[in-house]
Amino acid sequence: MNILLVEDNPTQSKLTSTILQRRGFEVDSAETLAEALKKLAHPIFDAILLDLSLPDSEGMETFKRVHAITDIPVIVLSAQDDKDLALQAVRQGAQDYLIKGMLSTDSLIRCLQYSVERNRVENELRRGQERLRIIMDNSYDAFLSMNSEWEITGWNAQAQQTFGWTDKEAIGQSLNLIFPTHLKKQSLGSIEQQFLNNSTRNARTTRELLAIHKDGHDFPVEIGFFRIDDEPKPSYCAFLRDITKRIEYQEELENLVQERTKSLTQKNEELRQFAKIASHDLQEPLKAVQGFVQLLEETANGNFDKDQKEFLGFIQDGTMRMQQLIKSVLIHSQIGNNGSENYTTDCNLVVEEVMADLAVSIKDTNTQFEVDWLPHINVEHSQMLQLFENLASNAIKYRSSKVPLIHFSAEESGDMWLFSVRDNGIGIDPEYKEKIFDMFSRLHGKTKYPGTGMGLAICKRIVTSHGGNIWVESKLGEGCIFLFTLPAVSAKTNAGAEK
Ligand code: ADP
């Protein structure tokens, strides 16, 4: 250890350095303050033993001059009658003091070692605090610390920028400084209450509040408070951010979404109206064609030859098909989520109704049904009927040589119900598993399997307009499983139904 001994009394100096050198210390000495300051320019010393009375400096001034240029620990060498002065130096940063003439070797060594160690710890602490201060001052968030009475004790540079008050103006004030007068009670009051109710150690809470700037304008802030559960009383800290811009963006975004939704709803409605009117208008000429064909048959009184009868048959088939197509387009255009939360449809009853509607073809084809328990769902009854009926009638229409078997089931999956309608029919080539849900999309000629190609498009519209998805799992010759999701209704609604 390297010691600088600043002592103008040569005997005392000699004595002290001999003691130290014997115990393995390196000692350099100075007799005046000027000499000491010069030597301190070289940072080689671990501690300074400093006599305060020197020829060129006296008392506290000596200590202050030394302390100002170095953070090396200073141990004041004091005369017996100068103890008060030594204590004063200790209060201002000296590590310790020793009374000259009463120095035992052990106490001198212990004092030096202890001072060096304590100085190291203090310096580390100081550096830590300095680092913390730099972090706080460079934080993008305002930072405030408060005592147990919610008086501001710390205020970083960003807080100054956010609120306009300097740290000197803010420190010592109540936290109410940053809340508009009329909101003080609900702001600070409710935060205090929240902490009172929360016994978790170092509890925290985040909220959005209205704050006020020194110039009087108010602005929204997001504040994260936390309590430091110190003894005997807790203290509080807060990180705080001006969220004016974020709220502006949010509002802009919401307005944009609202405008878009409005324009989409309007367009949708226009399209619905268009499809409705168009399909009504298309039905008129069709009815006229059908009427004249009938008139032609009546006036000809059975005098048509074989070809003419066949041509008339084609006209009738064509008009009937056209009529079905128009009807399907009309149905498709009318489907929507018309306040579906107001409807609660029992899917078990819907399946019974489907079986009654398809009774004739079920009987003709000897179709068998397996129906598991099905939930109640917030979809209009008529739309659920359409959905199940389209899938069931397809399962019968696209049957294989086996006795048709249709299985309905449903299972809860998160906040949705996953329905499945399985058949043992001819199946679908996976290549077409998406295309079949398009409008007018058919995989077979109309002679073998009559249809419009609208059935699955209608199913898809019903499901997607309620926030669900529909898809098929199938291979040619292996039957199909049509799967679709619909949002689950509350457990309460389904509680009535027996599983
Ligand atoms: P459509 O039955 O009137 O042709 P859909 O939209 O109901 O129209 O069905 C589209 C196509 O999907 C059908 O033409 C058929 O090829 C195929 N398809 C639908 N359901 C089944 C099924 N259960 N089994 C096999 N193929 C099916």
Side-chain angles (χ1 to χ4, degrees):
M1 206 186 274
N2 243 325
I3 309 296
L4 177 63
L5 173 62
V6 187
E7 170 64 79
D8 62 335
N9 180 327
T11 319
Q12 188 69 44
S13 177
K14 182 80 194 149
L15 178 68
T16 314
S17 45
T18 311
I19 294 173
L20 290 172
Q21 278 159 348
R22 274 207 201 133
R23 297 295 283 261
F25 289 83
E26 297 275 332
V27 184
D28 197 352
S29 30
E31 288 181 11
T32 62
L33 178 66
E35 195 186 350
L37 295 179
K38 207 164 149 197
K39 291 199 167 173
L40 281 171
H42 308 286
I44 52 168
F45 301 106
D46 299 299
I48 305 164
L49 285 168
L50 180 67
D51 181 3
L52 296 181
S53 292
L54 298 173
D56 54 348
S57 176
E58 200 36 60
M60 278 305 288
E61 182 60 21
T62 312
F63 171 71
K64 280 186 192 160
R65 298 274 306 273
V66 170
H67 192 51
I69 62 155
T70 179
D71 59 4
I72 300 168
V74 176
I75 296 128
V76 168
L77 296 172
S78 142
Q80 173 74 343
D81 53 359
D82 251 358
K83 243 160 89 180
D84 287 349
L85 190 67
L87 278 171
Q88 200 182 336
V90 168
R91 275 196 289 275
Q92 301 217 6
Q95 279 297 344
D96 208 345
Y97 71 93
L98 291 165
I99 307 285
K100 285 196 261 183
M102 298 178 75
L103 284 181
S104 79
T105 306
D106 281 347
S107 63
L108 176 63
I109 305 299
R110 210 174 33 243
C111 173
L112 273 168
Q113 283 168 339
Y114 173 72
S115 298
V116 168
E117 186 54 24
R118 196 167 82 167
N119 193 61
R120 191 186 61 75
V121 172
E122 276 178 7
N123 279 344
E124 248 169 46
L125 211 69
R126 226 187 342 267
R127 276 196 290 274
Q129 278 170 348
E130 180 62 11
R131 261 200 304 273
L132 204 66
R133 197 188 57 75
I134 292 171
I135 293 170
M136 287 305 171
D137 275 348
N138 286 286
S139 156
Y140 286 114
D141 287 339
F143 172 78
L144 350 172
S145 58
M146 288 139 288
N147 62 19
S148 59
E149 308 303 316
W150 294 91
E151 282 162 1
I152 299 167
T153 52
W155 185 259
N156 75 348
Q158 187 56 45
Q160 179 162 334
Q161 196 169 331
T162 307
F163 295 103
W165 304 97
T166 63
D167 51 353
K168 286 201 181 66
E169 289 168 326
I171 288 173
Q173 300 270 3
S174 155
L175 180 65
N176 276 332
L177 179 74
I178 65 162
F179 295 126
T181 320
H182 65 289
L183 292 179
K184 279 178 180 158
K185 216 168 167 187
Q186 69 198 63
S187 309
L188 184 52
S190 74
I191 298 162
E192 268 181 312
Q193 197 53 47
Q194 171 129 18
F195 279 115
L196 274 178
N197 296 338
N198 191 341
S199 58
T200 322
R201 213 174 146 64
N202 302 329
R204 46 201 285 178
T205 172
T206 306
R207 54 187 60 207
E208 287 181 13
L209 292 169
L210 208 60
I212 190 158
H213 189 271
K214 185 181 180 184
D215 68 12
H217 84 271
D218 52 32
F219 55 99
V221 288
E222 185 183 63
I223 314 188
F225 281 103
F226 56 96
R227 182 178 59 205
I228 301 176
D229 286 315
D230 266 350
E231 289 299 333
K233 284 181 171 178
S235 58
Y236 301 91
C237 290
F239 281 99
L240 182 153
R241 182 171 288 190
D242 181 346
I243 51 169
T244 311
K245 283 263 170 313
R246 195 176 83 191
I247 290 199
E248 275 170 14
Y249 287 144
Q250 256 169 8
E251 278 171 5
E252 250 172 60
L253 208 68
E254 264 164 38
N255 287 343
L256 212 69
V257 170
Q258 266 177 17
E259 267 171 39
R260 293 244 167 99
T261 314
K262 204 171 142 197
S263 112
L264 274 176
T265 318
Q266 204 173 330
K267 282 207 179 98
N268 238 351
E269 185 50 30
E270 278 166 16
L271 274 173
R272 262 160 66 125
Q273 288 305 327
F274 170 76
K276 196 172 164 186
I277 292 164
S279 37
H280 272 299
D281 289 355
L282 286 173
Q283 289 196 42
E284 288 309 312
L286 211 55
K287 279 187 191 142
V289 174
Q290 282 172 328
F292 284 114
V293 170
Q294 212 178 339
L295 219 60
L296 207 60
E297 272 181 326
E298 282 166 17
T299 48
N301 219 356
N303 286 336
F304 286 132
D305 64 21
K306 194 171 153 257
D307 279 351
Q308 285 168 327
K309 275 190 189 149
E310 200 185 358
F311 296 158
L312 272 180
F314 287 148
I315 295 175
Q316 272 162 336
D317 275 0
T319 49
M320 251 165 63
R321 198 170 145 65
M322 188 70 175
Q323 227 165 9
Q324 278 170 354
L325 280 170
I326 292 170
K327 210 171 123 201
S328 307
V329 172
L330 194 62
I331 293 173
H332 190 269
S333 72
Q334 299 299 304
I335 294 165
N337 183 345
N338 319 317
S340 55
E341 57 286 352
N342 299 324
Y343 301 93
T344 304
T345 299
D346 180 351
C347 296
N348 305 284
L349 298 181
V350 175
V351 174
E352 281 176 23
E353 220 172 307
V354 168
M355 291 199 252
D357 287 352
L358 302 178
V360 177
S361 56
I362 291 173
K363 195 162 169 252
D364 289 351
T365 54
N366 195 22
T367 299
Q368 309 293 308
F369 280 86
E370 275 175 9
V371 185
D372 294 351
W373 176 89
L374 299 175
H376 287 61
I377 208 97
N378 290 139
V379 178
E380 242 179 300
H381 180 272
S382 61
Q383 293 195 24
M384 277 320 276
L385 184 65
Q386 183 93 56
L387 176 60
F388 280 150
E389 200 158 301
N390 285 1
L391 295 175
S393 59
N394 274 354
I396 298 173
K397 182 162 57 170
Y398 301 105
R399 65 188 176 278
S400 63
S401 51
K402 295 178 202 149
V403 173
L405 176 67
I406 308 175
H407 183 153
F408 285 89
S409 68
E411 62 183 75
E412 206 161 8
S413 153
D415 50 359
M416 304 294 267
W417 278 101
L418 174 65
F419 288 83
S420 80
V421 180
R422 195 175 66 215
D423 66 45
N424 58 351
I426 60 172
I428 296 171
D429 184 339
E431 190 187 335
Y432 302 112
K433 64 181 193 175
E434 269 148 32
K435 192 169 174 273
I436 52 167
F437 293 99
D438 292 346
M439 281 166 90
F440 309 118
S441 170
R442 312 205 63 232
L443 304 183
H444 307 278
K446 63 179 187 313
T447 341
K448 191 163 181 200
Y449 297 107
T452 56
M454 285 295 291
L456 290 181
I458 289 174
C459 292
K460 184 173 176 181
R461 182 93 189 238
I462 294 172
V463 172
T464 53
S465 68
H466 290 85
N469 263 322
I470 184 165
W471 66 101
V472 68
E473 284 172 9
S474 180
K475 278 192 190 142
L476 262 184
E478 293 187 12
C480 298
I481 310 177
F482 282 89
L483 294 140
F484 56 92
T485 54
L486 284 170
V489 293
S490 65
K492 218 171 97 200
T493 319
N494 269 320
E498 276 282 297
K499 283 209 180 192

